[in-house]
Amino acid sequence: MSRIRFTRRLPAAVAAAGLALAVAACGGESSTSPEGTTVAKAELKANADLTQQSLQITVWEGYTPKELPEKAKEKLKVKDVKIGFHDTNETAMAKLTSSGDSGIDVAFVSGQYAQALNEQGLLEPIHPELIPNLANLYPEATQLAYDKGNKYSVPYTWGTTGICYRSDLVKTPPTSWNDILKPPAWADKKVTMMTTERWLALPALKALGYSVNSDNDQEIAKAKELLLAAKPHLLTYDDTTFGDKLKSGEALMVEAWDGWCPTSEKNIKFVLPKEGSDLWVDTMVIMKTSKNKEAAHALINYILDPEIHSWAAENINYKVPNKAAMERVQVPEGSLLGIKPAELLNGEVIVDLGPSSTKYTRLSSEVATQS
Amino acid sequence: MKSETQTRPAPRSRGRRLGAFVFLSPGLAYLVVLLLVPLALVLSYTVFQRGRFGGVVYEFTTENFARLLDPLYLGVLGDSLQIAALTTLIALLLGYPTAYVIAQLPSRWKTAALVAIVLPFWTNFIIRVYAWIILLSGPGLVNSVLGTQLELLYKQGTIVVGLLYSYLPLMVLPLYAAIEKLDPQLREASANLGASGFTTFRKVTLPLTVPGVLTGCMFVFVPSFGNFVIPEILGGSKTLMVGNVVRNEFLKARDWPFASTVTLALIAVLVVLLLAQAWAARRA
């Protein structure tokens, strides 16, 4: 082995540091079609030749059936269906907004992000006549605060946030957000909260009786006080592995999205706190830059097919806002899939707060830096 | 005649310069396309505003720089400096003896030891960081072996441990290179002149390896300072470092202008440190 040499100065190190930060976001591939430029709403044809169109989708990994691209390609008779993945809404936004044309036709993002994309003028309005399967949706799913009437987004899954806990290890089952914010002595340092800003704030806002969409400075300041008081009693902030922490017994109660609470385990249960919670929705949207809009509508219509749509409930344990699909699903007792749409609708739909959203970024930074 | 002899070398040197340029061009292209252009973009964002729903609105403002001076962000900068400095210091204290011992080994053991130092780099970084959770968590390996209930995870100290573990090899290797290069006769001469082992180390070995020390310190400090994965995974998001702020502002708040301004501050701190390092290395 030859001797390892290092230069004394570190241009490469500086380069790497600068580069990593500089290219934080990058776009996808672009697709072309003979149609060319943006098509206005009225111009979409119900009988367009889909064999000339190909689709690029971006979605969370594992959120749709693995064989979706091949099956959709065959069923819709489109030229090609390609699927790409994003790990969070934020990376999806970076993908979709960083360049004029991201090359993406259909994107899966949460409701408030669909709203933000729409307000930036990046979304194609939904043409209901091209999606007959919209009729399968629960009536409630067409009345969601961020997009009443599904004008630019189609809901794919929905759910809420609550407390997931170990029924065999807690002395009294939690009923309130305060059980996490001010844990009793036996649960001290055995609770976790989420770190993503809107969900970090949610328990405090709800415990104080405020809206999860509050942009009132005083309310946010009060929530901050409550979160800071809670910090020393938390095990940690965790968005991804809280289920494992419950299984191992390292945590007794965690703030959790319903679909992420491992209720299939014997002693793990989920409760909606009495102060109420949110209603989150993950949606499908069509980009204005898409040159394959007819195929994009056809794909959404295909996904709303009860047989396809029920896959999400059966495989990822997320409720789908599709009545026909949910009726096909065998709901095991105690499963979170049993939560009824009406109950879900008691939750407050998270909406994008525009300029006020930075208040929540600041809040989460403040909570993270203070001890 | 005279003028001819004078002009003769000119084409050759021009040719040599051209040749150098041709050979340098891939590196230059890399620098321009992948470093200077993105850097210029980042710098240009610092004077613009965040759009209502994120992104950049091209209206001039100095507000981003004013926001940098907010005690919240200055505190983050201070925390990051402190964590990175502590990591670097411990890495030096652990790395120097390690490198020293490796440099004294017979050559085949030397190779084995160096491979052992580099080996962890062959495994995915995230996986190695997660491994610490298995070791340190409440019901984890350390507590179960010791039969204790210690709280080892999700503290600032855990972040230092994670950074140290990840970047210690970057300290050992330049130190090894510096120590290995030393002429053993210098130490023999020092011993012959009556210096004790410690005096020889203090007066001969250490001063001659200062450039290696400085390089190692920069190699550890730079990635520690900007790190955002370890504070999140091992610090449980309870501590923010500059890297986390950049990440959060870029991706979560979609505030590219402010994220760029924080990036600029981060780069400025590193450039100052690099200049100081270069200056110290020249004097050493």
Side-chain angles (χ1 to χ4, degrees):
Chain A
M1 183 175 161
S2 64
R3 204 172 285 177
I4 298 167
R5 286 248 169 91
F6 283 90
T7 48
R8 286 184 194 172
R9 293 196 201 147
L10 315 166
V14 186
L19 186 64
L21 296 159
V23 277
C26 58
E29 314 124 46
S30 66
S31 57
T32 48
S33 82
E35 273 88 4
T37 51
T38 319
V39 189
K41 182 165 179 170
E43 290 173 36
L44 291 195
K45 295 182 282 294
N47 52 358
D49 182 10
L50 298 187
T51 58
Q52 296 305 308
Q53 302 193 2
S54 24
L55 289 171
Q56 175 75 45
I57 308 168
T58 183
V59 63
W60 289 274
E61 192 153 16
Y63 215 46
T64 50
K66 262 209 173 67
E67 63 283 3
L68 182 80
E70 298 87 73
K71 280 177 85 177
K73 184 180 161 185
E74 195 188 303
K75 178 92 184 172
L76 305 176
K77 309 243 175 336
V78 293
K79 200 152 75 180
D80 198 12
V81 179
K82 281 200 192 118
I83 202 156
F85 300 110
H86 53 256
D87 54 353
T88 58
N89 274 307
E90 290 80 14
T91 41
M93 291 300 277
K95 248 183 179 179
L96 299 171
T97 58
S98 60
S99 63
D101 182 359
S102 57
I104 290 166
D105 302 290
V106 178
F108 284 67
V109 291
S110 296
Q112 66 271 34
Y113 291 87
Q115 182 192 358
L117 286 170
N118 184 54
E119 304 223 8
Q120 288 179 76
L122 296 175
L123 296 186
E124 172 70 13
I126 295 293
H127 296 247
E129 71 280 9
L130 295 184
I131 312 181
N133 281 339
L134 280 172
N136 292 337
L137 295 182
Y138 287 106
E140 289 91 340
T142 62
Q143 295 304 318
L144 299 162
Y146 61 87
D147 180 17
K148 287 213 161 119
N150 305 121
K151 290 196 175 67
Y152 54 80
S153 67
V154 177
Y156 177 67
T157 52
W158 59 5
T160 183
T161 310
I163 300 174
C164 183
Y165 66 99
R166 278 288 291 261
S167 58
D168 56 333
L169 297 178
V170 296
K171 296 211 169 128
T172 43
T175 56
S176 154
W177 286 118
N178 283 317
D179 291 320
I180 276 193
L181 292 164
K182 300 169 187 160
W186 51 262
D188 196 48
K189 295 250 180 193
K190 286 185 181 301
V191 295
T192 74
M193 283 176 59
M194 287 192 199
T195 154
T196 304
E197 48 202 46
R198 297 294 294 276
W199 283 283
L200 169 74
L202 183 142
L205 289 170
K206 281 292 170 190
L208 292 164
Y210 303 145
S211 158
V212 293
N213 296 314
S214 171
D215 66 348
N216 177 309
D217 290 326
Q218 277 158 359
E219 292 182 358
I220 294 175
K222 282 232 174 95
K224 180 184 132 188
E225 267 172 48
L226 200 51
L227 290 170
L228 284 176
K231 190 175 176 184
H233 304 289
L234 295 180
L235 173 66
T236 181
Y237 296 99
D238 186 352
D239 273 356
T240 43
T241 60
F242 50 75
D244 297 329
K245 290 197 170 86
L246 276 183
K247 285 188 204 164
S248 73
E250 195 180 4
L252 302 181
M253 298 187 274
V254 299
E255 179 191 0
W257 291 302
D258 53 354
W260 288 43
C261 178
T263 45
S264 50
E265 301 277 318
K266 201 173 99 215
N267 293 315
I268 295 184
K269 298 222 155 39
F270 181 85
V271 63
L272 275 173
K274 62 181 181 208
E275 298 91 349
S277 188
D278 68 331
L279 163 60
W280 57 260
V281 187
D282 288 339
T283 72
M284 300 175 275
V285 296
I286 299 173
M287 302 308 292
K288 196 160 247 169
T289 46
S290 166
K291 293 166 192 80
N292 309 291
K293 292 184 180 122
E294 286 92 353
H297 281 85
L299 178 81
I300 291 178
N301 190 55
Y302 175 68
I303 289 173
L304 292 184
D305 185 286
E307 195 192 332
I308 309 296
H309 211 169
S310 58
W311 178 91
E314 280 160 358
N315 291 278
I316 52 176
N317 249 339
Y318 277 23
K319 289 173 287 300
V320 296
N322 184 322
K323 190 161 184 278
M326 285 306 284
E327 277 162 2
R328 291 173 60 102
V329 179
Q330 295 272 333
V331 178
E333 207 177 322
S335 161
L336 298 172
L337 293 174
I339 302 176
K340 297 271 176 294
E343 263 180 279
L344 215 49
L345 262 281
N346 286 334
E348 224 187 326
V349 177
I350 291 187
V351 299
D352 189 274
L353 293 173
S356 295
S357 63
T358 51
K359 292 179 187 173
Y360 283 90
T361 314
R362 190 182 172 92
L363 170 76
S364 71
S365 297
E366 285 174 337
V367 172
T369 47
Q370 292 182 35
S371 45
Chain B
M1 282 308 272
K2 209 183 172 194
S3 65
E4 260 189 289
T5 48
Q6 270 181 341
T7 50
R8 210 170 283 145
R12 209 187 298 151
S13 95
R14 212 180 299 145
R16 200 159 32 202
R17 234 177 292 152
L18 188 69
F21 184 76
V22 168
F23 284 120
L24 276 176
S25 56
L28 278 176
Y30 163 85
L31 271 179
V32 171
V33 175
L34 292 175
L35 178 69
L36 296 181
V37 170
L39 203 59
L41 261 173
V42 168
L43 292 187
S44 68
Y45 284 168
T46 59
V47 294
F48 295 122
Q49 300 174 13
R50 176 190 190 269
R52 195 170 124 75
F53 293 96
V56 182
V57 172
Y58 294 96
E59 277 170 44
F60 181 82
T61 178
T62 53
E63 201 191 311
N64 296 315
F65 291 95
R67 228 177 120 189
L68 260 191
L69 300 176
D70 185 321
L72 174 65
Y73 302 109
L74 290 179
V76 172
L77 200 67
D79 282 351
S80 308
L81 283 172
Q82 206 181 325
I83 290 172
L86 185 62
T87 305
T88 309
L89 181 70
I90 302 175
L92 180 62
L93 293 178
L94 293 173
Y96 203 101
T98 313
Y100 193 89
V101 170
I102 294 175
Q104 315 306 322
L105 290 173
S107 69
R108 62 195 176 107
W109 288 113
K110 227 181 252 183
T111 309
L114 287 174
V115 170
I117 295 279
V118 180
L119 205 59
F121 278 110
W122 297 353
T123 324
N124 180 291
F125 176 73
I126 303 280
I127 291 175
R128 281 186 288 135
V129 175
Y130 263 105
W132 279 96
I133 292 189
I134 298 171
L135 287 175
L136 299 180
S137 73
L141 211 60
V142 171
N143 272 332
S144 61
V145 167
L146 297 177
T148 49
Q149 288 285 322
L150 298 172
E151 281 174 36
L152 302 167
L153 265 183
Y154 315 126
K155 300 181 159 180
Q156 277 204 5
T158 328
I159 300 176
V160 175
V161 169
L163 291 171
L164 201 56
Y165 164 75
S166 302
Y167 301 124
L168 186 60
L170 299 182
M171 177 66 88
V172 173
L173 294 176
L175 282 174
Y176 165 78
I179 298 168
E180 153 83 358
K181 247 186 354 208
L182 280 186
D183 188 344
Q185 291 187 342
L186 291 173
R187 263 173 288 166
E188 282 164 30
S190 167
N192 285 342
L193 292 170
S196 66
F198 180 70
T199 311
T200 301
F201 175 77
R202 198 166 54 87
K203 299 218 156 157
V204 180
T205 311
L206 190 58
L208 286 172
T209 53
V210 163
V213 170
L214 292 171
T215 305
C217 287
M218 286 317 286
F219 274 161
V220 174
F221 188 89
V222 171
S224 302
F225 184 57
N227 202 288
F228 63 90
V229 175
I230 292 176
E232 204 154 287
I233 300 179
L234 295 179
S237 305
K238 282 174 156 180
T239 306
L240 270 193
M241 285 178 72
V242 188
N244 300 88
V245 173
V246 172
R247 211 274 303 257
N248 292 348
E249 294 292 340
F250 253 116
L251 294 178
K252 295 193 175 166
R254 279 173 280 133
D255 191 341
W256 291 17
F258 184 59
S260 301
T261 315
V262 179
T263 305
L264 178 65
L266 201 151
I267 294 173
V269 169
L270 293 180
V271 166
V272 168
L273 285 170
L274 284 170
L275 291 176
Q277 188 254 5
W279 177 81
R282 238 196 328 269
R283 284 180 54 109

